[in-house]
Amino acid sequence: MRARRLGLVLLVATIASAGVLLRGPPLWLLDWLAARYPGCLFRIALQAPLVALTLDDGPDPATTPLILAELRRHSARATFFLIADRVRGQEDVVSRIVAEGHEIGNHFTHDRPSIRLPEDQFTRDAEESGRVLEPYGPVRWARPGSGWYSRAMVATMTGHGYRCALGSVYSYDTTIPWVAYSVWYIRRNIRPGAILVLHDGGGRGERTIRILRAVLPYLQSQGFRVVSLSELAGEAR
C-alpha cells in the first residue's frame, strides 16, 4: 500500500512538472516565491503593455552583434547580464551594447551556480565582476548564476548596490534546444510586466537570434513594447 501511494505521488509530481514545463509556472507561484524568499524580482504587476527582455551569458563576439542588430531592427531594448571573464577582448562589444541604448547587468565572474559558492567567495565574485563592468556605465542589476539564491546572497548584492532580478518567462532554452518550442512558450506565457530570459553565446546565442526574429514582431503586433529592466521598474514607480 505504501509503495502504491508513493507511486501515485510520483505520478502526480511528474504530471505537475510536465504541466509547468509546457505552460510555465503560474503567476501566483512566482508571486509566492517572491514574497516567501524576498529580494529578487520575478516580474512586475502592470497594466501597461511592457515586457523586459534580459539576455544572459554574454558577451560573445559572434552572436552579441547579431542580437543587437535584431533588437535595433525592432526598436527593442534589453538588459544584458554579462559574465565578467568573457569581457576581456570583447570590450568593443560591451561598449556597443551600452551605446545602442541597452543596459548591462552583473552575471558574476564565471559561468557557474552562484548558490554553491561560500559566502566570502560570492562576495569576492560580486566585487571582481563589478570592477570589470562598472567602467561601461551604471550597473543596477545582478542575476546569480543558475538562478538560485539565498538571503545572504541577496544581502551581498544589495550591499554592493545591485537589485537582484530573475524572470517570469523562461523557455528552458539552455536545456531544450528547440527554437519552435521557445517561440511557442514565450507567446503563450508573455504578460504585461513579464521579465523574459534568453541566453547569448555560441549555439544558445544562435538560437536566441532565431527566437527574437519570431518573437519581437509578434510582441509588436500584440501592442507590447520591449524594454530594459530599469525601464520596466521605472514604469512601475
Side-chain angles (χ1 to χ4, degrees):
M1 181 65 70
R2 182 179 299 174
R4 185 177 179 181
R5 283 199 299 267
L6 178 59
L8 182 60
V9 168
L10 290 174
L11 177 61
V12 170
T14 300
I15 293 171
S17 298
V20 169
L21 186 65
L22 289 173
R23 295 189 298 272
L27 295 182
W28 65 262
L29 177 58
L30 294 176
D31 293 341
W32 179 85
L33 286 171
R36 180 68 178 82
Y37 303 97
C40 286
L41 181 68
F42 289 83
R43 71 183 188 102
I44 292 177
L46 284 181
Q47 301 256 330
L50 298 178
V51 296
L53 172 61
T54 64
L55 297 146
D56 291 359
D57 297 350
D60 183 278
T63 57
T64 305
L66 295 175
I67 289 172
L68 288 171
E70 207 61 42
L71 297 176
R72 185 170 60 254
R73 186 173 295 116
H74 297 283
S75 300
R77 296 287 180 266
T79 302
F80 287 75
F81 281 97
L82 303 181
I83 295 176
D85 72 351
R86 297 180 178 174
V87 169
R88 185 176 291 109
Q90 305 305 324
E91 292 85 354
D92 289 348
V93 176
V94 180
S95 296
R96 181 178 166 188
I97 291 172
V98 176
E100 295 193 10
H102 309 287
E103 68 177 347
I104 58 175
N106 192 336
H107 206 28
F108 297 92
T109 303
H110 305 287
D111 186 11
R112 60 188 175 187
S114 299
I115 192 71
R116 295 180 183 174
L117 299 177
E119 187 173 338
D120 59 341
Q121 188 174 353
F122 179 73
T123 299
R124 290 195 301 271
D125 208 18
E127 293 169 348
E128 180 182 349
S129 55
R131 284 192 294 270
V132 172
L133 297 175
E134 286 163 7
Y136 297 93
V139 184
R140 303 180 179 94
W141 302 90
R143 176 172 285 163
S146 297
W148 297 96
Y149 65 96
S150 66
R151 287 184 171 86
M153 290 166 63
V154 170
T156 296
M157 288 183 276
T158 302
H160 285 78
Y162 302 119
R163 187 175 180 187
C164 175
L166 296 180
S168 60
V169 181
Y170 171 52
S171 64
Y172 312 97
D173 59 317
T174 60
T175 53
I176 303 177
W178 186 14
V179 170
Y181 171 79
S182 293
V183 171
W184 173 84
Y185 184 97
I186 292 167
R187 288 182 176 183
R188 190 187 193 286
N189 289 286
I190 206 72
R191 301 287 186 278
I195 298 173
L196 171 60
V197 182
L198 290 170
H199 291 79
D200 196 0
R204 295 175 179 179
E206 291 171 0
R207 290 194 297 274
T208 289
I209 295 162
R210 295 164 60 196
I211 292 167
L212 292 176
R213 285 174 182 162
V215 166
L216 292 178
Y218 170 80
L219 293 176
Q220 286 181 325
S221 73
Q222 300 301 304
F224 284 101
R225 190 157 61 92
V226 180
V227 299
S228 68
L229 277 170
S230 290
E231 291 174 276
L232 187 71
E235 180 70 20
R237 287 194 293 269

